Amino acid sequence: MGDPFDEGYPADGETPVHQVQVSPFSIDVTAVSNEQFAAFVDETGYRTESEVYGTSAVFHMAVQSSPADVLGTAAGTPWWLNVRGADWAHPMGPLSSWQDIPDHPVTQVSHTDALAYCEWAGRALPTEAQWEFAARGGLEQSRYPWGNDLHGVQANGELEHRCNIWQGTFPTENTVEDGFLTTAPARFFSPNGYGLFQTSGNVWEWCADWFLPKYYKSCLALGTVADPVGPTIGRGRVMRGGSYLCHDSYCNRYRLAARSSNSPESASGNCGFRTVSAP
């Protein structure tokens, strides 16, 4: 695990590279879709935290609401708007609907919401180690699920986009060269060597672990680590994979080694999850 290129953010704790052993497990080939999450809600009546709070975070270029429902910006990140009526069923605001994008990853779900889905499904959130092992698809220490180069080259000489991230000047201009301003279908672009789709870009994915930047250093001190479950404390829960908003000028975290975090109750229009077999 970790960043062999030494190009990550020091505060994220992507180094040192260390050896990890994981026991066999199964993992979803895609992030949980809107349609799958709707089945959970229909059967259980579950209300997500965004529904309870009444608002959630939507990227400023994607808002679908009346101006009166935009309640302000997030501190330090003015491209995120706090929108009344934004939730998993209305991911871009009250004028949007999950039914228009049933095969896209569910978003506007908190870590707590993801755990509730897992309990219903008899599954679990992946540990950070499980996620990285599966996301690499059998490639050792590569930058992306397909290798080290972000783009391929098509027969006509044009760039081949392999993941859903930002193109242009963040956060004001997206040229949409990959075809998507926000989420893409969960099963899109080519899968990795294990058959998993979009472990780079599209939506962040919640992991089970607490986030503590110095955790990798403690792992290295122990040598090979078997089935690590992360630290017992942290400043948030781990998120992996990056999202459609990632760009090397702002958030170069669509690399396989990249790590980030958010508070467990937080939700946004670019974070979802996939599940693994329950322990």
Side-chain angles (χ1 to χ4, degrees):
M1 293 181 70
D3 169 26
F5 302 97
D6 196 26
E7 60 189 0
Y9 299 95
D12 290 348
E14 293 183 29
T15 57
V17 175
H18 58 288
Q19 191 171 37
V20 175
Q21 184 178 37
V22 293
S23 300
F25 62 98
S26 71
I27 187 167
D28 298 337
V29 299
T30 71
V32 172
S33 70
N34 283 312
E35 189 170 36
Q36 290 172 307
F37 198 82
F40 155 63
V41 171
D42 286 346
E43 185 170 313
T44 64
Y46 180 82
R47 294 187 70 212
T48 60
E49 294 196 287
S50 292
E51 291 173 287
V52 173
Y53 297 150
T55 68
S56 199
V58 180
F59 182 63
H60 74 105
M61 293 174 65
V63 173
Q64 297 181 36
S65 76
S66 67
D69 287 324
V70 178
L71 305 180
T73 63
T77 52
W79 47 87
W80 282 113
L81 302 182
N82 186 28
V83 178
R84 181 167 44 220
D87 52 48
W88 81 269
H90 311 90
M92 303 305 168
L95 301 182
S96 65
S97 172
W98 74 267
Q99 293 176 319
D100 295 330
I101 47 173
D103 58 343
H104 288 221
V106 66
T107 59
Q108 303 293 8
V109 286
S110 68
H111 192 270
T112 305
D113 299 331
L115 290 177
Y117 176 94
C118 288
E119 182 177 2
W120 169 77
R123 304 279 287 172
L125 288 178
T127 65
E128 191 173 11
Q130 287 175 323
W131 190 95
E132 185 167 330
F133 178 88
R136 290 189 176 280
L139 297 180
E140 292 188 8
Q141 297 190 325
S142 64
R143 184 175 283 116
Y144 307 113
W146 52 83
N148 292 330
D149 296 326
L150 180 58
H151 298 107
V153 180
Q154 302 181 68
N156 61 6
E158 294 183 0
L159 292 181
E160 175 191 9
H161 292 277
R162 293 165 165 168
C163 62
N164 178 16
I165 56 176
W166 188 274
Q167 296 92 44
T169 304
F170 186 87
T172 56
E173 179 194 12
N174 190 338
T175 58
V176 197
E177 293 168 25
D178 61 12
F180 302 99
L181 174 64
T182 60
T183 57
R187 192 182 292 263
F188 204 86
F189 300 104
S190 296
N192 72 6
Y194 293 156
L196 275 64
F197 289 84
Q198 302 199 79
T199 54
S200 283
N202 208 23
V203 295
W204 286 102
E205 298 181 9
W206 287 114
C207 291
D209 308 35
W210 287 104
F211 180 79
L212 196 65
K214 64 182 180 181
Y215 181 65
Y216 282 9
K217 291 183 179 179
S218 65
C219 286
L220 187 69
L222 298 174
T224 300
V225 179
D227 296 318
V229 295
T232 57
I233 59 172
R235 65 188 192 200
R237 293 289 185 175
V238 170
M239 304 187 305
R240 286 298 211 111
S243 83
Y244 58 81
L245 295 182
C246 282
H247 185 270
D248 60 7
S249 69
Y250 156 66
C251 178
N252 185 20
R253 293 187 178 94
Y254 44 92
R255 297 167 294 103
L256 290 171
R259 318 169 68 218
S260 192
S261 67
N262 208 343
S263 55
E265 73 279 4
S266 295
S268 65
N270 70 335
C271 186
F273 66 100
R274 74 178 75 208
T275 74
V276 298
S277 47

